[in-house]
Amino acid sequence: MTTARSTDGAFEYSGEVEPYGNFSMSPAAHVLHYGSAIFEGMKAHRQVDGSLAIFRLDDHVARMRQSAAKLRLPVPDAELVRRMIIDACEANVSEVPDPPGSLYVRPTLIGTEPNIGAAATPSKEALLYIVNCPVGDYFKGGVRPLTLLVEDSIPRTTPQFGMVKSGANYAMALAPTLDAMAANEAIDQILFATGGDVTETGAANFFMTDDDRLVTRNLDASFLHGVTRSSIITLAAEVEERAISVEELVVWADHGEAFLSGTAAVVSPVGTLLIDGEQVQLAGGAGPDSNSMRLRQALADIQTGHAPDPYGWRTPVKG
Ligand code: PLP
């Protein structure tokens, strides 16, 4: 792991990679009381030539800096975060499994100022650290059509905060997700569609597709601006970015496909929607020839060096 601390807004990084281990911090640390925690999630992929490359490193660094600013945490320089991520990956090159496995990279930034009276004060002291671990498929049972519960009453988080990758957003989504899964073990994810407006699931963005079109929700502050989402939009010739209603989704299911996109989900086809107790099947299917699976392959080929990298998305890591 790599770590850097800030006492007055400026981060100090020794340049040394340390063994993975515990931290010590004050019981009054800001993060433990007022939730000043943000993070990122990206992957380094083993390339076809045996080397290692991080996928869209700069985009993840940019989103992390944006999240830090939203929580009024000290914002680390992009070059520093970049260096710390590359150093941490270099130190773990031998741990990276072959595709479809990869090295998951988790940069984290927390407010460490010891002040229990700081509810309305930002933390000037902060700890930035990068850990990583080998990963395989995110969903139990590998790539298979997922079942989503469409939730139209409870939002995932507060609307102005959905675009921030902060621990608090995941804490808020946890109870409704666990309750839904306890009631029906077939549910893989909740698709949040407050008031009928389809946004994202607890860990991925949402797309509809068929042989002619790709449709996904237009960006606003209410949901996470996925790097995978943006990659798919770049790869596809044309994408409609606009509101999607639950009613439209039901009609779409008669002929089309749907999928989730994310660093963990990659592109994961959706097979079934549960809407108000009714099961709605996606008639477009999720087989190897589906549009969803073809997009998954196109993305994976760039990530793993099987296809050229015209957009400069791969950052090489020395072995
Ligand atoms: N939405 C949420 C809530 C997420 O946690 C993630 C996860 O990473 C995504 C969307 C997808 O974002 P990305 O493609 O950058 O991984």
Side-chain angles (χ1 to χ4, degrees):
M1 60 194 276
T2 47
T3 60
R5 285 182 187 269
S6 147
T7 45
D8 57 0
F11 286 86
E12 280 176 32
Y13 172 49
S14 68
E16 299 292 318
V17 179
E18 306 153 37
Y20 182 88
N22 296 349
F23 301 119
S24 122
M25 77 177 86
S26 164
H30 197 274
V31 62
L32 300 177
H33 302 269
Y34 304 118
S36 49
I38 57 136
F39 64 97
E40 262 307 317
M42 73 198 84
K43 283 177 175 171
H45 300 268
R46 177 77 61 210
Q47 303 294 291
V48 68
D49 67 1
S51 66
L52 190 67
I54 305 169
F55 188 65
R56 301 199 67 171
L57 169 61
D58 292 323
D59 300 279
H60 285 282
V61 169
R63 190 171 66 186
M64 182 163 198
R65 297 179 77 242
Q66 177 186 282
S67 296
K70 288 275 184 199
L71 263 73
R72 300 292 192 269
L73 277 162
V75 180
D77 287 344
E79 192 43 48
L80 173 78
V81 186
R82 210 175 183 277
R83 183 74 261 146
M84 288 173 66
I85 291 171
I86 293 172
D87 288 353
C89 288
E90 273 179 16
N92 290 290
V93 165
S94 62
E95 305 295 326
V96 185
D98 287 333
S102 59
L103 188 71
Y104 182 75
V105 185
R106 172 50 66 88
T108 311
L109 176 63
I110 56 176
T112 49
E113 189 156 321
N115 182 358
I116 234 161
T121 315
S123 179
K124 282 195 294 300
E125 293 182 22
L127 171 64
L128 168 65
Y129 61 93
I130 321 292
V131 291
N132 47 33
C133 64
V135 289
D137 272 321
Y138 182 63
F139 292 109
K140 215 170 39 193
V143 185
R144 57 176 172 80
L146 301 174
T147 298
L148 307 185
L149 174 76
V150 179
E151 169 58 70
D152 63 5
S153 54
I154 307 167
R156 173 177 170 255
T157 176
T158 52
Q160 75 276 21
F161 235 69
M163 67 184 287
V164 184
K165 205 155 168 67
S166 73
N169 284 346
Y170 296 83
M172 280 187 264
L174 189 58
T177 306
L178 292 183
D179 289 350
M181 286 176 173
N184 181 347
E185 61 180 24
I187 295 168
D188 293 297
Q189 292 257 304
I190 295 189
L191 179 61
F192 290 95
T194 318
D197 176 25
V198 174
T199 55
E200 64 175 343
T201 71
N205 294 121
F206 182 79
F207 281 81
M208 305 192 301
T209 185
D210 63 11
D211 292 344
D212 303 316
R213 292 196 290 170
L214 258 176
V215 189
T216 194
R217 174 71 155 73
N218 54 300
L219 294 178
D220 64 17
S222 71
F223 70 100
L224 195 73
H225 302 178
V227 174
T228 318
R229 175 189 179 281
S230 126
S231 309
I232 289 165
I233 290 174
T234 304
L235 291 179
E238 262 180 62
V239 179
E240 293 171 30
E241 291 183 72
R242 58 167 174 79
I244 300 172
S245 68
V246 174
E247 291 84 51
E248 180 184 7
L249 185 51
V250 172
V251 174
W252 189 273
D254 280 343
H255 83 287
E257 303 171 29
F259 63 85
L260 302 185
S261 77
T263 296
V266 193
V267 170
S268 292
V270 176
T272 310
L273 300 165
L274 301 176
I275 304 175
D276 288 336
E278 300 287 320
Q279 279 206 14
V280 178
Q281 306 294 336
L282 272 298
D289 290 335
S290 62
N291 296 297
S292 310
M293 289 305 281
R294 281 210 302 272
L295 267 172
R296 181 183 174 102
Q297 193 58 49
L299 183 63
D301 284 350
I302 298 183
Q303 290 173 330
T304 55
H306 284 85
D309 180 23
Y311 309 106
W313 286 345
R314 297 190 295 248
T315 299
V317 173
K318 281 197 239 94

